[in-house]
Amino acid sequence: MNVKIAKEAGFCFGVKRAMKMAWDKLEQNEDGIYALGPLIHNKQAVSKYEEKGLVTKENIEDIPNSKNMIIRSHGVGEKVYIDAQKKDITIVDTTCPFVKKIHKIVKEYSTKGYEIIVIGDSKHPEVIGINGWCSNSAIIIKTIDDLDNIILESSKKYCVVAQTTINSELYLKIIDKIAKMTSDIIFNNTICSATKVRQQAARQLSKEVDCMIVIGGTHSSNTQKLVNICKEFVETFAIETKDDLDTESLKKYETIGVTAGASTPDWIIGDVITFIKNL
Ligand code: SF4
C-alpha cells in the first residue's frame, strides 16, 4: 500500500508558528500560563497543551494578575493589550504576522479618520480582533447581499480589509460592488493564500490516488471543505485520528492520499500515516 501526502496539509505557517511559541513557553515550566480562548480548534492538540500546564480561559477577567497570557494566532483587539497591562499580565503574542498587518492598517486608517470596512464573518475571532483596532466601529460585510443594507456616504473616506481566510472570488465581487458605491476608498487585499494552497494540493492529490483520507475536526469548516473537494474525484474518508480509520475498507486500495485541515497537528497526521503503512 502506497501513501501519498498532499504537498500542503495541516497547520499553515501562522498556526505552526503560534503553536511552537506556545509550546516553547510551556517548556519553560513557569507557573500560570493561560491561553485566551482555545489555542486551536483541535481537541487532541488542546488537551496535549493543557496536560503540559496550559490553562484556557475565555475572558481576560478570569486570568489572574501578573501571569502569562498567550494570544492565539487569530489575534485580539487593542483593548486586550490595554487590559493585560493594567493587570500586569505578560503577553505571549502568537498573532499571525499577516493578521498583525491588518491590525496596523485598521489602526492607522481609523486614526486618520477613515471608516473601516471588513469583508469577513463578524462572529469569527479574527474579525472580532480586527474590529477591536477601530473601537469596534467597522462595517462588517459577509455576503454581497449585505451591501444592500449599507449606505456609504460620499462625504466619508473608507478603508477596506479582508479576513485572511475568505474566498478570493467573493472578495472580488464585494469590492467591485463597493467601488461603485463610493469613490474615496482604499482597498487592502489581506487574504492569505494558505487555505487556497491547501485546497489546491488536496485537489491535485485526489486525482493521483485511489482514495483520500482527510484528517481534521468534525466541526472544522476548512476540513469539511477539503472533504468535499476530494469527494469530487475519489472515495474520501473524514477522520479525526487514526482510531476512526475503517481498516477493512482501506485494504482494497493500492494508493491512499492523505491531507489534513488547518488545525490538525503534524503528530496526528504522522500517527495516521504510520498506521496505514503498517496495515
Ligand atoms: S493568516 Fe494565513 S498563515 Fe496566518 S494564521 Fe491565518 S491562514 Fe494561517
Side-chain angles (χ1 to χ4, degrees):
M1 192 182 283
N2 297 317
V3 183
K4 287 187 170 183
I5 305 150
K7 282 206 177 86
E8 293 289 334
F11 285 174
C12 59
F13 148 79
V15 172
K16 199 175 271 183
R17 173 183 172 274
M19 295 302 277
K20 182 176 182 318
M21 285 172 75
W23 191 258
D24 289 349
K25 187 71 194 168
L26 290 166
E27 291 268 54
Q28 291 170 8
N29 280 328
E30 279 175 44
D31 231 13
I33 301 179
Y34 292 80
L36 189 57
L39 277 187
I40 49 169
H41 289 118
N42 180 288
K43 54 181 187 284
Q44 292 84 5
V46 170
S47 304
K48 187 175 165 180
Y49 279 65
E50 289 181 344
E51 276 161 27
K52 184 96 176 153
L54 185 69
V55 182
T56 305
K57 295 283 179 194
E58 287 299 333
N59 300 301
I60 192 166
E61 293 77 35
D62 301 327
I63 298 179
N65 290 2
S66 310
K67 299 291 183 190
N68 297 282
M69 179 179 76
I70 297 171
I71 292 176
R72 56 193 173 169
S73 58
H74 292 313
V76 292
E78 190 175 18
K79 187 174 181 297
V80 173
Y81 291 86
I82 296 167
D83 290 348
Q85 202 171 17
K86 283 186 197 153
K87 294 186 74 170
D88 190 33
I89 286 173
T90 303
I91 290 177
V92 181
D93 194 350
T94 78
T95 307
C96 176
F98 299 140
V99 178
K100 271 268 185 229
K101 188 179 139 198
I102 305 177
H103 294 171
K104 278 199 187 116
I105 295 170
V106 168
K107 176 78 182 169
E108 183 190 333
Y109 281 92
S110 65
T111 308
K112 285 181 187 166
Y114 283 73
E115 300 286 323
I116 304 296
I117 299 177
V118 184
I119 303 177
D121 179 355
S122 61
K123 293 192 182 72
H124 193 285
E126 182 190 310
V127 174
I128 294 169
I130 292 169
N131 198 10
W133 289 90
C134 58
S135 311
N136 300 308
S137 65
I139 300 166
I140 303 174
I141 295 162
K142 189 179 176 190
T143 66
I144 193 125
D145 293 339
D146 289 347
L147 289 169
D148 296 340
N149 307 316
I150 288 161
I151 295 166
L152 301 182
E153 296 169 39
S154 56
S155 58
K156 290 186 175 171
K157 301 181 283 187
Y158 294 91
C159 168
V160 178
V161 294
Q163 182 182 334
T164 54
T165 46
I166 65 152
N167 175 288
S168 310
E169 286 79 34
L170 176 67
Y171 171 80
L172 291 174
K173 275 187 197 155
I174 291 177
I175 64 160
D176 187 52
K177 194 163 174 186
I178 293 175
K180 290 176 185 141
M181 293 167 75
T182 188
S183 55
D184 201 349
I185 188 151
I186 290 170
F187 294 102
N188 300 278
N189 184 346
T190 49
I191 298 174
C192 161
S193 61
T195 308
K196 199 172 180 180
V197 169
R198 193 183 306 104
Q199 289 174 358
Q200 278 167 348
R203 187 175 290 110
Q204 181 57 40
L205 185 59
S206 304
K207 295 175 189 168
E208 299 167 15
V209 296
D210 303 318
C211 81
M212 282 292 291
I213 293 172
V214 181
I215 315 164
T218 36
H219 300 296
S220 151
S221 61
N222 79 83
T223 304
Q224 201 47 53
K225 177 84 184 149
L226 288 175
V227 172
N228 293 338
I229 288 172
C230 297
K231 268 186 182 166
E232 286 174 28
F233 303 96
V234 279
E235 183 153 10
T236 301
F237 303 92
I239 60 165
E240 280 199 7
T241 68
K242 69 172 175 46
D243 300 333
D244 302 326
L245 282 170
D246 176 357
T247 44
E248 280 314 307
S249 305
L250 288 181
K251 280 179 184 165
K252 64 178 186 235
Y253 299 109
E254 233 174 71
T255 307
I256 297 179
V258 175
T259 187
S263 306
T264 309
D266 286 352
W267 52 271
I268 292 185
I269 303 174
D271 276 358
V272 171
I273 291 165
T274 310
F275 187 83
I276 306 169
K277 280 184 174 165
N278 289 333
L279 276 180

PDB file of all heavy atoms in Angstrom, residues 11-16 73-74 94-99 102 126 164-165 190-195 198 262, ligand 1:
ATOM      1  N   PHE A  11      -1.308  22.305   9.569  1.00  0.00           N
ATOM      2  CA  PHE A  11      -1.070  23.681  10.027  1.00  0.00           C
ATOM      3  C   PHE A  11      -0.527  24.578   8.915  1.00  0.00           C
ATOM      4  O   PHE A  11       0.382  24.189   8.169  1.00  0.00           O
ATOM      5  CB  PHE A  11      -0.009  23.696  11.136  1.00  0.00           C
ATOM      6  CG  PHE A  11      -0.482  23.216  12.484  1.00  0.00           C
ATOM      7  CD1 PHE A  11       0.427  23.075  13.528  1.00  0.00           C
ATOM      8  CD2 PHE A  11      -1.813  22.920  12.732  1.00  0.00           C
ATOM      9  CE1 PHE A  11       0.023  22.636  14.772  1.00  0.00           C
ATOM     10  CE2 PHE A  11      -2.230  22.478  13.975  1.00  0.00           C
ATOM     11  CZ  PHE A  11      -1.304  22.341  14.992  1.00  0.00           C
ATOM     12  N   CYS A  12      -1.042  25.792   8.867  1.00  0.00           N
ATOM     13  CA  CYS A  12      -0.444  26.811   7.998  1.00  0.00           C
ATOM     14  C   CYS A  12       0.749  27.418   8.755  1.00  0.00           C
ATOM     15  O   CYS A  12       0.967  27.117   9.936  1.00  0.00           O
ATOM     16  CB  CYS A  12      -1.470  27.899   7.698  1.00  0.00           C
ATOM     17  SG  CYS A  12      -2.066  28.676   9.198  1.00  0.00           S
ATOM     18  N   PHE A  13       1.457  28.311   8.076  1.00  0.00           N
ATOM     19  CA  PHE A  13       2.617  28.950   8.693  1.00  0.00           C
ATOM     20  C   PHE A  13       2.260  29.626  10.031  1.00  0.00           C
ATOM     21  O   PHE A  13       2.953  29.461  11.039  1.00  0.00           O
ATOM     22  CB  PHE A  13       3.201  29.988   7.693  1.00  0.00           C
ATOM     23  CG  PHE A  13       3.820  31.189   8.332  1.00  0.00           C
ATOM     24  CD1 PHE A  13       5.099  31.112   8.880  1.00  0.00           C
ATOM     25  CD2 PHE A  13       3.120  32.393   8.416  1.00  0.00           C
ATOM     26  CE1 PHE A  13       5.663  32.228   9.484  1.00  0.00           C
ATOM     27  CE2 PHE A  13       3.679  33.498   9.024  1.00  0.00           C
ATOM     28  CZ  PHE A  13       4.959  33.415   9.560  1.00  0.00           C
ATOM     29  N   GLY A  14       1.147  30.370  10.027  1.00  0.00           N
ATOM     30  CA  GLY A  14       0.784  31.157  11.216  1.00  0.00           C
ATOM     31  C   GLY A  14       0.444  30.291  12.411  1.00  0.00           C
ATOM     32  O   GLY A  14       0.828  30.592  13.548  1.00  0.00           O
ATOM     33  N   VAL A  15      -0.291  29.208  12.163  1.00  0.00           N
ATOM     34  CA  VAL A  15      -0.689  28.327  13.265  1.00  0.00           C
ATOM     35  C   VAL A  15       0.521  27.533  13.775  1.00  0.00           C
ATOM     36  O   VAL A  15       0.721  27.366  14.979  1.00  0.00           O
ATOM     37  CB  VAL A  15      -1.849  27.401  12.837  1.00  0.00           C
ATOM     38  CG1 VAL A  15      -2.146  26.362  13.895  1.00  0.00           C
ATOM     39  CG2 VAL A  15      -3.098  28.218  12.543  1.00  0.00           C
ATOM     40  N   LYS A  16       1.355  27.093  12.830  1.00  0.00           N
ATOM     41  CA  LYS A  16       2.552  26.336  13.214  1.00  0.00           C
ATOM     42  C   LYS A  16       3.435  27.198  14.131  1.00  0.00           C
ATOM     43  O   LYS A  16       3.896  26.761  15.180  1.00  0.00           O
ATOM     44  CB  LYS A  16       3.330  25.964  11.944  1.00  0.00           C
ATOM     45  CG  LYS A  16       4.304  24.827  12.139  1.00  0.00           C
ATOM     46  CD  LYS A  16       4.951  24.436  10.823  1.00  0.00           C
ATOM     47  CE  LYS A  16       4.156  23.388  10.101  1.00  0.00           C
ATOM     48  NZ  LYS A  16       4.753  22.910   8.872  1.00  0.00           N
ATOM     49  N   SER A  73      -3.233  32.748  17.350  1.00  0.00           N
ATOM     50  CA  SER A  73      -2.867  33.263  16.021  1.00  0.00           C
ATOM     51  C   SER A  73      -3.924  34.173  15.396  1.00  0.00           C
ATOM     52  O   SER A  73      -3.606  35.033  14.584  1.00  0.00           O
ATOM     53  CB  SER A  73      -2.562  32.100  15.069  1.00  0.00           C
ATOM     54  OG  SER A  73      -3.672  31.252  14.986  1.00  0.00           O
ATOM     55  N   HIS A  74      -5.197  34.013  15.792  1.00  0.00           N
ATOM     56  CA  HIS A  74      -6.273  34.863  15.254  1.00  0.00           C
ATOM     57  C   HIS A  74      -6.107  36.330  15.641  1.00  0.00           C
ATOM     58  O   HIS A  74      -6.686  37.200  15.016  1.00  0.00           O
ATOM     59  CB  HIS A  74      -7.629  34.449  15.851  1.00  0.00           C
ATOM     60  CG  HIS A  74      -8.118  33.127  15.427  1.00  0.00           C
ATOM     61  ND1 HIS A  74      -8.110  32.718  14.121  1.00  0.00           N
ATOM     62  CD2 HIS A  74      -8.687  32.117  16.126  1.00  0.00           C
ATOM     63  CE1 HIS A  74      -8.647  31.508  14.050  1.00  0.00           C
ATOM     64  NE2 HIS A  74      -8.987  31.122  15.249  1.00  0.00           N
ATOM     65  N   THR A  94       1.176  35.367  19.937  1.00  0.00           N
ATOM     66  CA  THR A  94       1.385  34.474  18.789  1.00  0.00           C
ATOM     67  C   THR A  94       0.507  34.886  17.596  1.00  0.00           C
ATOM     68  O   THR A  94       0.317  34.105  16.666  1.00  0.00           O
ATOM     69  CB  THR A  94       1.129  32.986  19.149  1.00  0.00           C
ATOM     70  OG1 THR A  94      -0.279  32.752  19.187  1.00  0.00           O
ATOM     71  CG2 THR A  94       1.743  32.590  20.474  1.00  0.00           C
ATOM     72  N   THR A  95      -0.024  36.104  17.632  1.00  0.00           N
ATOM     73  CA  THR A  95      -0.842  36.576  16.495  1.00  0.00           C
ATOM     74  C   THR A  95      -0.070  36.381  15.191  1.00  0.00           C
ATOM     75  O   THR A  95       1.100  36.774  15.097  1.00  0.00           O
ATOM     76  CB  THR A  95      -1.164  38.083  16.655  1.00  0.00           C
ATOM     77  OG1 THR A  95      -1.731  38.308  17.936  1.00  0.00           O
ATOM     78  CG2 THR A  95      -2.099  38.572  15.559  1.00  0.00           C
ATOM     79  N   CYS A  96      -0.713  35.807  14.195  1.00  0.00           N
ATOM     80  CA  CYS A  96      -0.044  35.605  12.906  1.00  0.00           C
ATOM     81  C   CYS A  96       0.401  36.965  12.340  1.00  0.00           C
ATOM     82  O   CYS A  96      -0.378  37.927  12.365  1.00  0.00           O
ATOM     83  CB  CYS A  96      -1.008  34.922  11.944  1.00  0.00           C
ATOM     84  SG  CYS A  96      -0.280  34.748  10.305  1.00  0.00           S
ATOM     85  N   PRO A  97       1.609  37.064  11.828  1.00  0.00           N
ATOM     86  CA  PRO A  97       2.071  38.355  11.278  1.00  0.00           C
ATOM     87  C   PRO A  97       1.145  38.909  10.187  1.00  0.00           C
ATOM     88  O   PRO A  97       1.024  40.116  10.049  1.00  0.00           O
ATOM     89  CB  PRO A  97       3.447  38.016  10.685  1.00  0.00           C
ATOM     90  CG  PRO A  97       3.891  36.790  11.411  1.00  0.00           C
ATOM     91  CD  PRO A  97       2.645  36.030  11.777  1.00  0.00           C
ATOM     92  N   PHE A  98       0.462  38.025   9.447  1.00  0.00           N
ATOM     93  CA  PHE A  98      -0.455  38.517   8.408  1.00  0.00           C
ATOM     94  C   PHE A  98      -1.673  39.207   9.046  1.00  0.00           C
ATOM     95  O   PHE A  98      -2.229  40.144   8.482  1.00  0.00           O
ATOM     96  CB  PHE A  98      -0.925  37.367   7.506  1.00  0.00           C
ATOM     97  CG  PHE A  98       0.197  36.677   6.775  1.00  0.00           C
ATOM     98  CD1 PHE A  98       0.208  35.297   6.616  1.00  0.00           C
ATOM     99  CD2 PHE A  98       1.257  37.400   6.246  1.00  0.00           C
ATOM    100  CE1 PHE A  98       1.243  34.657   5.935  1.00  0.00           C
ATOM    101  CE2 PHE A  98       2.294  36.772   5.565  1.00  0.00           C
ATOM    102  CZ  PHE A  98       2.296  35.397   5.416  1.00  0.00           C
ATOM    103  N   VAL A  99      -2.075  38.707  10.210  1.00  0.00           N
ATOM    104  CA  VAL A  99      -3.206  39.315  10.914  1.00  0.00           C
ATOM    105  C   VAL A  99      -2.750  40.629  11.573  1.00  0.00           C
ATOM    106  O   VAL A  99      -3.465  41.634  11.568  1.00  0.00           O
ATOM    107  CB  VAL A  99      -3.794  38.328  11.961  1.00  0.00           C
ATOM    108  CG1 VAL A  99      -4.944  38.969  12.722  1.00  0.00           C
ATOM    109  CG2 VAL A  99      -4.246  37.038  11.294  1.00  0.00           C
ATOM    110  N   ILE A 102      -2.986  43.482   9.341  1.00  0.00           N
ATOM    111  CA  ILE A 102      -4.349  44.040   9.213  1.00  0.00           C
ATOM    112  C   ILE A 102      -4.633  44.984  10.386  1.00  0.00           C
ATOM    113  O   ILE A 102      -5.179  46.072  10.217  1.00  0.00           O
ATOM    114  CB  ILE A 102      -5.419  42.918   9.154  1.00  0.00           C
ATOM    115  CG1 ILE A 102      -5.093  41.929   8.032  1.00  0.00           C
ATOM    116  CG2 ILE A 102      -6.807  43.511   8.995  1.00  0.00           C
ATOM    117  CD1 ILE A 102      -6.033  40.745   7.942  1.00  0.00           C
ATOM    118  N   GLU A 126     -11.011  36.224  14.437  1.00  0.00           N
ATOM    119  CA  GLU A 126     -10.064  37.122  13.745  1.00  0.00           C
ATOM    120  C   GLU A 126     -10.733  38.466  13.434  1.00  0.00           C
ATOM    121  O   GLU A 126     -10.137  39.532  13.628  1.00  0.00           O
ATOM    122  CB  GLU A 126      -9.570  36.465  12.448  1.00  0.00           C
ATOM    123  CG  GLU A 126      -8.550  37.340  11.717  1.00  0.00           C
ATOM    124  CD  GLU A 126      -8.224  36.821  10.324  1.00  0.00           C
ATOM    125  OE1 GLU A 126      -7.919  35.628  10.185  1.00  0.00           O
ATOM    126  OE2 GLU A 126      -8.281  37.622   9.383  1.00  0.00           O
ATOM    127  N   THR A 164      -8.468  37.026   6.658  1.00  0.00           N
ATOM    128  CA  THR A 164      -7.414  36.345   5.893  1.00  0.00           C
ATOM    129  C   THR A 164      -7.903  35.089   5.168  1.00  0.00           C
ATOM    130  O   THR A 164      -7.326  34.711   4.150  1.00  0.00           O
ATOM    131  CB  THR A 164      -6.245  35.937   6.808  1.00  0.00           C
ATOM    132  OG1 THR A 164      -6.765  35.163   7.881  1.00  0.00           O
ATOM    133  CG2 THR A 164      -5.490  37.130   7.332  1.00  0.00           C
ATOM    134  N   THR A 165      -8.937  34.450   5.703  1.00  0.00           N
ATOM    135  CA  THR A 165      -9.324  33.148   5.139  1.00  0.00           C
ATOM    136  C   THR A 165     -10.541  33.213   4.211  1.00  0.00           C
ATOM    137  O   THR A 165     -11.060  32.171   3.816  1.00  0.00           O
ATOM    138  CB  THR A 165      -9.615  32.147   6.273  1.00  0.00           C
ATOM    139  OG1 THR A 165     -10.438  32.805   7.240  1.00  0.00           O
ATOM    140  CG2 THR A 165      -8.352  31.666   6.929  1.00  0.00           C
ATOM    141  N   THR A 190      -6.122  41.590   1.981  1.00  0.00           N
ATOM    142  CA  THR A 190      -5.335  40.971   3.056  1.00  0.00           C
ATOM    143  C   THR A 190      -5.622  39.469   3.171  1.00  0.00           C
ATOM    144  O   THR A 190      -5.380  38.866   4.216  1.00  0.00           O
ATOM    145  CB  THR A 190      -5.625  41.690   4.391  1.00  0.00           C
ATOM    146  OG1 THR A 190      -7.045  41.788   4.549  1.00  0.00           O
ATOM    147  CG2 THR A 190      -5.008  43.079   4.420  1.00  0.00           C
ATOM    148  N   ILE A 191      -6.136  38.890   2.093  1.00  0.00           N
ATOM    149  CA  ILE A 191      -6.404  37.435   2.109  1.00  0.00           C
ATOM    150  C   ILE A 191      -5.070  36.679   2.100  1.00  0.00           C
ATOM    151  O   ILE A 191      -4.141  37.050   1.384  1.00  0.00           O
ATOM    152  CB  ILE A 191      -7.242  37.028   0.878  1.00  0.00           C
ATOM    153  CG1 ILE A 191      -8.600  37.735   0.912  1.00  0.00           C
ATOM    154  CG2 ILE A 191      -7.442  35.513   0.838  1.00  0.00           C
ATOM    155  CD1 ILE A 191      -9.438  37.498  -0.329  1.00  0.00           C
ATOM    156  N   CYS A 192      -5.003  35.649   2.911  1.00  0.00           N
ATOM    157  CA  CYS A 192      -3.798  34.816   2.972  1.00  0.00           C
ATOM    158  C   CYS A 192      -4.018  33.610   2.053  1.00  0.00           C
ATOM    159  O   CYS A 192      -5.120  33.059   2.004  1.00  0.00           O
ATOM    160  CB  CYS A 192      -3.606  34.380   4.417  1.00  0.00           C
ATOM    161  SG  CYS A 192      -2.543  32.976   4.602  1.00  0.00           S
ATOM    162  N   SER A 193      -2.972  33.195   1.368  1.00  0.00           N
ATOM    163  CA  SER A 193      -3.144  32.134   0.366  1.00  0.00           C
ATOM    164  C   SER A 193      -3.137  30.726   0.971  1.00  0.00           C
ATOM    165  O   SER A 193      -3.378  29.751   0.272  1.00  0.00           O
ATOM    166  CB  SER A 193      -2.040  32.243  -0.683  1.00  0.00           C
ATOM    167  OG  SER A 193      -0.795  32.080  -0.049  1.00  0.00           O
ATOM    168  N   ALA A 194      -2.863  30.606   2.274  1.00  0.00           N
ATOM    169  CA  ALA A 194      -2.666  29.269   2.876  1.00  0.00           C
ATOM    170  C   ALA A 194      -3.838  28.314   2.613  1.00  0.00           C
ATOM    171  O   ALA A 194      -3.629  27.155   2.255  1.00  0.00           O
ATOM    172  CB  ALA A 194      -2.436  29.402   4.373  1.00  0.00           C
ATOM    173  N   THR A 195      -5.060  28.822   2.766  1.00  0.00           N
ATOM    174  CA  THR A 195      -6.237  27.957   2.609  1.00  0.00           C
ATOM    175  C   THR A 195      -6.351  27.481   1.161  1.00  0.00           C
ATOM    176  O   THR A 195      -6.563  26.286   0.895  1.00  0.00           O
ATOM    177  CB  THR A 195      -7.519  28.734   2.994  1.00  0.00           C
ATOM    178  OG1 THR A 195      -7.299  29.294   4.279  1.00  0.00           O
ATOM    179  CG2 THR A 195      -8.731  27.854   3.014  1.00  0.00           C
ATOM    180  N   ARG A 198      -3.716  24.893   0.261  1.00  0.00           N
ATOM    181  CA  ARG A 198      -4.020  23.582   0.834  1.00  0.00           C
ATOM    182  C   ARG A 198      -5.112  22.882   0.014  1.00  0.00           C
ATOM    183  O   ARG A 198      -5.041  21.691  -0.254  1.00  0.00           O
ATOM    184  CB  ARG A 198      -4.450  23.730   2.298  1.00  0.00           C
ATOM    185  CG  ARG A 198      -4.488  22.421   3.046  1.00  0.00           C
ATOM    186  CD  ARG A 198      -4.988  22.523   4.478  1.00  0.00           C
ATOM    187  NE  ARG A 198      -4.273  23.489   5.279  1.00  0.00           N
ATOM    188  CZ  ARG A 198      -4.739  24.685   5.608  1.00  0.00           C
ATOM    189  NH1 ARG A 198      -5.937  25.052   5.219  1.00  0.00           N
ATOM    190  NH2 ARG A 198      -4.039  25.510   6.345  1.00  0.00           N
ATOM    191  N   ALA A 262      -6.590  22.745   8.654  1.00  0.00           N
ATOM    192  CA  ALA A 262      -5.630  23.740   9.175  1.00  0.00           C
ATOM    193  C   ALA A 262      -5.331  23.585  10.661  1.00  0.00           C
ATOM    194  O   ALA A 262      -4.334  24.120  11.148  1.00  0.00           O
ATOM    195  CB  ALA A 262      -6.167  25.132   8.902  1.00  0.00           C
TER     196      ALA A 262
HETATM  197  S1  SF4 B   1      -3.245  34.431   8.101  1.00  0.00           S
HETATM  198 FE1  SF4 B   1      -2.746  32.650   6.884  1.00  0.00          FE
HETATM  199  S2  SF4 B   1      -0.837  31.881   7.749  1.00  0.00           S
HETATM  200 FE2  SF4 B   1      -1.740  33.299   9.231  1.00  0.00          FE
HETATM  201  S3  SF4 B   1      -2.937  32.001  10.601  1.00  0.00           S
HETATM  202 FE3  SF4 B   1      -4.332  32.757   9.040  1.00  0.00          FE
HETATM  203  S4  SF4 B   1      -4.329  31.162   7.457  1.00  0.00           S
HETATM  204 FE4  SF4 B   1      -2.539  30.822   8.754  1.00  0.00          FE
END
